Amino acid sequence: MTIETVDAAGSRRGADLVLDVLRSEGVRYIFGNPGTTELPLIDALTEVQDIGYILALQEATAVAMADGYAQGARRAAFLNLHTAGGLGHGMGALWNSQVSGTPLVVTAGQQDLRHALSDPLLMGDLVAIADPVVKWAREVTSPDQIPVLLRRAFHDCGAAPSGPVFLSLPMDVMEAMTQVPAGETSTIDQRAVAGSLDRLASELAAIAPGRLALIAGDEIDASDASAQMVALADLLAAPVYGSSWPAHIPFPTAHPLWAGNLPTRADAIADILGRYDAVFALGGKSLITVLYSEVSAVPSGTRVFQLSADVRDLGRTYATSLSTVGDIQASLNALLPLLAPRVADRADAFAGLRAAAAAARVERRGKLAAAADAAFEDPVIAPLVAAREVARAVGAETAIIDEAPATLTHLRTFLDSPSAHQYAAMRGGVLGWGMPAAVGFSLGIDRAPVVCVVGDGAAMYSPQALWTAAHEKLPVTFVVINNAEYNILKTFMKSQSHYASVRANRFIAMDLTDPRVDFPALAASMGVPARRVTRAADIAPAIEAGIRSGGANLVEVVVRAT
């Protein structure tokens, strides 16, 4: 009688099966912070060489790292959190991922279900906790379910509308033996071409030259449709505005037709869109507003056209003349040949508009430079000057992760890159994304250099990212814009003349002083070399040196408070 070994019989633990599925899905990294309930997965990684574990020192940081990786690599990231408490720690960061539509497969270890009846420590209803911030959530109850549910998670997180999905992985399921094969990866073409493109081409062609504006939404980046967006803008000589609250700038900032990002108040957006007879918005959620105003962002008389892969965003808030559902890259590839012959007789008018846009850009950037030059020698660095010097030091190629409210608007105006993939920002509004996202983003672009511009307040939500950057030897330069305050909040309060805070000139819980945070010391404690800059002339050299170092480093830039 022959007695077969476990290996010979083809059995393996659920945790080993998870890794087999991940490997076949092309996963290179697991982001997480392990606890007791994750130890079966950690143990399974011991003999694995082709999947790395990226250790974050807190779960919200782990989520943001995975988010940054997914955005940089343009593929789903895999994340493993620690049961109910760890999932709870990560909820704010998961909210950011949901709003940004970042494809994440989120997992968390669960207690051994065999003693769930006795309410053991670390037991919680993980599915109910995760449900508000993911597309769907489910608990795996048998190792035999792992291949189907895990592959379903990878598929669904990337399908429109993209976003996180969640699986609970109980310890007993991860330890149980199974003979179920890992199966194979499905090939699924999600690039559906929108309908009614012939009508859309006719509608766009009927708009007089100079009377159409384009809005480049974040979906363009996810669809890798920047080249098609440039072709559309050039064909129609139409100005291109970015989303009001973007995760990306999916259009080359050096292009003459780039008009900058829309503001975040409806009345200010309406002032811009009211200059045109029509707007064509590509990608959903382009007109996000932050503060209330009485008017609509789309003024009466301005027609709206939309193209998005997410049907939920079409006609959601504003009436549209025509909205159509489809992948942006595939749909523009079909639309452009239909549109070109319809506008061929207006070539001269369009050429004039393109020339005027180029001249206006030169004038606009000249005024910006003059304003920065005028404040360059101020005793305390002005945010405008800091933004100009950061942009100058980073140049046109290095990726930028931005979570610095004091300089964010200024920095976007100074960007001057032929790339449509240089810039990423936090869209969900929950602080703490920037520093860990920069770590993940560098991993997602094969450990290429990244500059993370982050406010001092935002930096204190996730300084643990410094340790991971140093541990992984990543070329991330963290630029902390330090005004020792919650600038965005204080600025808003000062704009409200009826506030008691303004009359008393007292702003509670908005100053990060007594003591000020010592960022170079904080960085040094995590193995990251750092320096503090207090003169405008030293900003660019410090950042350039940081990028050249090829390792994690921090530059603190002390700027003027509100």
Side-chain angles (χ1 to χ4, degrees), residues 473-552:
K473 298 179 175 56
L474 293 171
V476 181
T477 299
F478 299 94
V479 181
V480 179
I481 305 297
N482 190 355
N483 50 24
E485 65 179 8
Y486 290 138
N487 170 270
I488 194 168
L489 301 179
K490 193 182 288 187
T491 298
F492 169 71
M493 293 193 79
K494 287 187 173 183
S495 71
Q496 307 299 307
S497 58
H498 62 288
Y499 273 22
S501 299
V502 177
R503 296 194 299 272
N505 195 32
R506 180 173 175 240
F507 301 93
I508 296 171
M510 294 188 191
D511 294 298
L512 305 182
T513 56
D514 302 322
R516 288 180 68 118
V517 179
D518 188 339
F519 283 98
L522 178 62
S525 75
M526 299 194 193
V528 174
R531 64 174 293 185
R532 177 179 290 121
V533 171
T534 58
R535 295 191 323 129
D538 295 332
I539 297 174
I543 295 172
E544 289 165 351
I547 296 171
R548 284 197 306 270
S549 74

Side-chain angles (χ1 to χ4, degrees), residues 7-373:
D7 288 339
S11 294
R12 56 196 158 164
R13 292 182 299 174
D16 296 307
L17 181 56
V18 167
L19 294 181
D20 283 346
V21 175
L22 296 187
R23 184 179 293 108
S24 70
E25 292 287 343
V27 171
R28 297 174 60 190
Y29 302 107
I30 294 174
F31 295 87
N33 178 267
T36 307
T37 53
E38 290 69 53
L39 293 185
L41 181 61
I42 296 298
D43 184 63
L45 279 168
T46 304
E47 304 298 329
V48 171
Q49 304 298 321
D50 54 351
I51 299 177
Y53 188 92
I54 305 301
L55 175 59
L57 302 186
Q58 203 264 2
E59 285 90 348
T61 303
V63 174
M65 285 180 187
D67 185 289
Y69 174 83
Q71 294 195 39
R74 293 206 196 117
R75 59 175 303 132
F78 184 82
L79 174 66
N80 187 231
L81 303 176
H82 176 46
T83 195
L87 179 58
H89 284 161
M91 288 295 280
L94 280 172
W95 173 262
N96 279 335
S97 298
Q98 181 199 52
V99 173
S100 296
T102 306
L104 298 180
V105 176
V106 185
T107 62
Q110 173 64 289
Q111 254 287 10
D112 191 314
L113 297 179
R114 291 172 297 185
H115 67 154
L117 192 63
S118 64
D119 299 323
L121 186 68
L122 304 178
M123 189 77 188
D125 189 344
L126 305 190
V127 170
I129 295 171
D131 188 66
V133 293
V134 297
K135 293 177 68 173
W136 56 257
R138 181 159 178 172
E139 187 160 84
V140 182
T141 58
S142 163
D144 294 354
Q145 298 172 353
I146 288 172
V148 170
L149 290 179
L150 201 47
R151 293 193 190 282
R152 185 180 299 171
F154 275 99
H155 168 253
D156 287 356
C157 75
S162 57
V165 299
F166 177 79
L167 286 173
S168 169
L169 302 175
M171 292 184 75
D172 55 312
V173 171
M174 296 292 274
E175 292 279 16
M177 305 303 291
T178 180
Q179 293 186 344
V180 169
E184 298 179 356
T185 302
S186 298
T187 300
I188 304 172
D189 186 349
Q190 299 180 13
R191 292 188 178 275
V193 177
S196 300
L197 292 183
D198 193 68
R199 177 185 165 188
L200 179 60
S202 296
E203 294 271 15
L204 295 177
I207 300 167
R211 304 300 300 169
L212 172 70
L214 303 178
I215 301 177
D218 287 326
E219 209 175 304
I220 292 170
D221 186 82
S223 180
D224 198 18
S226 298
Q228 289 78 7
M229 187 69 194
V230 169
L232 178 67
D234 283 338
L235 179 64
L236 298 173
V240 179
Y241 293 90
S243 299
S244 57
W245 194 263
H248 299 276
I249 297 179
F251 195 85
T253 51
H255 196 287
L257 290 170
W258 173 245
N261 288 92
L262 292 166
T264 59
R265 283 181 59 102
D267 51 3
I269 295 173
D271 286 344
I272 293 172
L273 300 188
R275 305 169 193 169
Y276 306 98
D277 294 338
V279 295
F280 182 20
L282 294 98
K285 298 184 178 68
S286 296
L287 303 182
I288 295 174
T289 54
V290 179
L291 300 176
Y292 175 74
S293 59
E294 294 286 343
V295 303
S296 168
V298 178
S300 175
T302 301
R303 301 173 68 203
V304 175
F305 299 90
Q306 290 177 292
L307 169 61
S308 173
D310 185 358
V311 67
R312 302 174 311 167
D313 283 329
L314 300 179
R316 178 176 177 85
T317 305
Y318 309 101
T320 65
S321 295
L322 176 60
S323 296
T324 185
V325 184
D327 175 78
I328 292 181
Q329 184 192 84
S331 299
L332 285 183
N333 281 336
L335 175 66
L336 288 166
L338 299 174
L339 184 58
R342 287 172 162 90
V343 298
D345 60 342
R346 302 179 184 181
D348 291 344
F350 289 144
L353 288 170
R354 285 190 288 268
R361 181 179 186 275
V362 171
E363 181 181 2
R364 184 169 63 248
R365 295 188 71 84
K367 289 180 179 178
L368 274 172
D373 288 342

Side-chain angles (χ1 to χ4, degrees), residues 6 45 199 263 377 401 403:
V6 169
L45 279 168
R199 177 185 165 188
E377 299 296 338
I401 300 295
E403 193 185 14

